[in-house]
Short mmCIF file of all heavy atoms in Angstrom, two decimals:
data_model
loop_
_atom_site.label_atom_id
_atom_site.label_comp_id
_atom_site.label_asym_id
_atom_site.label_seq_id
_atom_site.Cartn_x
_atom_site.Cartn_y
_atom_site.Cartn_z
N ILE A 401 67.68 -52.73 13.03
CA ILE A 401 67.56 -53.12 14.43
C ILE A 401 67.57 -51.83 15.27
O ILE A 401 66.83 -51.69 16.24
CB ILE A 401 68.72 -54.05 14.86
CG1 ILE A 401 68.58 -55.40 14.13
CG2 ILE A 401 68.78 -54.24 16.36
CD1 ILE A 401 69.80 -56.30 14.29
N GLY A 402 68.40 -50.91 14.84
CA GLY A 402 68.44 -49.59 15.46
C GLY A 402 68.88 -48.57 14.45
O GLY A 402 69.62 -48.90 13.50
N SER A 403 68.43 -47.34 14.61
CA SER A 403 68.88 -46.28 13.69
C SER A 403 68.88 -44.95 14.41
O SER A 403 68.25 -44.79 15.48
CB SER A 403 67.95 -46.20 12.47
OG SER A 403 66.64 -45.82 12.87
N PHE A 404 69.61 -43.98 13.85
CA PHE A 404 69.66 -42.66 14.45
C PHE A 404 69.87 -41.62 13.34
O PHE A 404 70.63 -41.85 12.40
CB PHE A 404 70.77 -42.52 15.49
CG PHE A 404 70.45 -41.53 16.57
CD1 PHE A 404 69.78 -41.89 17.71
CD2 PHE A 404 70.82 -40.20 16.41
CE1 PHE A 404 69.46 -40.95 18.70
CE2 PHE A 404 70.50 -39.23 17.37
CZ PHE A 404 69.82 -39.62 18.52
N GLY A 405 69.18 -40.51 13.49
CA GLY A 405 69.32 -39.42 12.51
C GLY A 405 69.48 -38.10 13.24
O GLY A 405 68.94 -37.90 14.35
N VAL A 406 70.24 -37.21 12.61
CA VAL A 406 70.51 -35.88 13.21
C VAL A 406 70.35 -34.80 12.15
O VAL A 406 70.75 -34.98 11.00
CB VAL A 406 71.98 -35.85 13.76
CG1 VAL A 406 72.45 -34.42 13.95
CG2 VAL A 406 72.10 -36.64 15.03
N ARG A 407 69.75 -33.70 12.55
CA ARG A 407 69.76 -32.51 11.70
C ARG A 407 70.26 -31.35 12.56
O ARG A 407 69.76 -31.12 13.67
CB ARG A 407 68.36 -32.21 11.19
CG ARG A 407 68.36 -31.02 10.24
CD ARG A 407 67.01 -30.82 9.64
NE ARG A 407 66.02 -30.62 10.68
CZ ARG A 407 65.00 -29.79 10.57
NH1 ARG A 407 64.82 -29.09 9.48
NH2 ARG A 407 64.14 -29.66 11.56
N LEU A 408 71.25 -30.70 12.06
CA LEU A 408 71.92 -29.66 12.86
C LEU A 408 71.89 -28.34 12.10
O LEU A 408 72.51 -28.24 11.05
CB LEU A 408 73.36 -30.13 13.11
CG LEU A 408 74.31 -29.24 13.92
CD1 LEU A 408 73.75 -28.98 15.31
CD2 LEU A 408 75.67 -29.93 14.05
N GLU A 409 71.15 -27.36 12.65
CA GLU A 409 71.17 -26.03 12.05
C GLU A 409 72.15 -25.21 12.86
O GLU A 409 72.16 -25.27 14.09
CB GLU A 409 69.77 -25.43 12.10
CG GLU A 409 68.76 -26.22 11.25
CD GLU A 409 67.34 -25.69 11.33
OE1 GLU A 409 67.17 -24.46 11.40
OE2 GLU A 409 66.41 -26.51 11.32
N HIS A 410 73.00 -24.46 12.17
CA HIS A 410 74.10 -23.79 12.88
C HIS A 410 74.42 -22.46 12.20
O HIS A 410 73.87 -22.14 11.15
CB HIS A 410 75.33 -24.69 12.89
CG HIS A 410 75.86 -25.00 11.52
ND1 HIS A 410 76.85 -24.27 10.91
CD2 HIS A 410 75.49 -25.96 10.63
CE1 HIS A 410 77.08 -24.74 9.69
NE2 HIS A 410 76.26 -25.78 9.49
N ASP A 411 75.34 -21.69 12.82
CA ASP A 411 75.74 -20.43 12.20
C ASP A 411 77.23 -20.44 11.90
O ASP A 411 77.87 -19.37 11.81
CB ASP A 411 75.34 -19.24 13.08
CG ASP A 411 76.07 -19.25 14.42
OD1 ASP A 411 76.99 -20.10 14.61
OD2 ASP A 411 75.74 -18.44 15.31
N GLY A 412 77.82 -21.60 11.85
CA GLY A 412 79.25 -21.72 11.59
C GLY A 412 80.05 -21.95 12.85
O GLY A 412 81.08 -22.62 12.83
N THR A 413 79.59 -21.40 13.99
CA THR A 413 80.30 -21.62 15.24
C THR A 413 79.38 -22.20 16.33
O THR A 413 79.82 -22.96 17.17
CB THR A 413 80.90 -20.30 15.80
OG1 THR A 413 79.88 -19.31 15.77
CG2 THR A 413 82.10 -19.86 14.96
N ARG A 414 78.10 -21.84 16.27
CA ARG A 414 77.18 -22.32 17.32
C ARG A 414 76.03 -23.14 16.75
O ARG A 414 75.64 -22.98 15.59
CB ARG A 414 76.57 -21.12 18.06
CG ARG A 414 77.53 -20.53 19.06
CD ARG A 414 76.96 -19.37 19.83
NE ARG A 414 77.98 -18.82 20.69
CZ ARG A 414 78.27 -19.31 21.90
NH1 ARG A 414 77.59 -20.30 22.41
NH2 ARG A 414 79.26 -18.78 22.60
N VAL A 415 75.48 -23.99 17.61
CA VAL A 415 74.28 -24.75 17.27
C VAL A 415 73.09 -23.81 17.34
O VAL A 415 72.87 -23.17 18.37
CB VAL A 415 74.05 -25.90 18.29
CG1 VAL A 415 72.77 -26.68 17.95
CG2 VAL A 415 75.25 -26.81 18.37
N ARG A 416 72.35 -23.68 16.26
CA ARG A 416 71.11 -22.92 16.34
C ARG A 416 69.97 -23.83 16.78
O ARG A 416 69.15 -23.48 17.61
CB ARG A 416 70.80 -22.25 15.02
CG ARG A 416 71.78 -21.08 14.75
CD ARG A 416 71.54 -20.34 13.44
NE ARG A 416 70.13 -20.26 13.10
CZ ARG A 416 69.60 -20.91 12.08
NH1 ARG A 416 70.32 -21.66 11.28
NH2 ARG A 416 68.31 -20.80 11.85
#
Side-chain angles (χ1 to χ4, degrees):
Chain A
I401 292 170
S403 65
F404 208 89
V406 161
R407 183 174 58 143
L408 180 58
E409 296 178 36
H410 62 93
D411 63 8
T413 49
R414 282 180 184 278
V415 179
R416 289 181 35 249

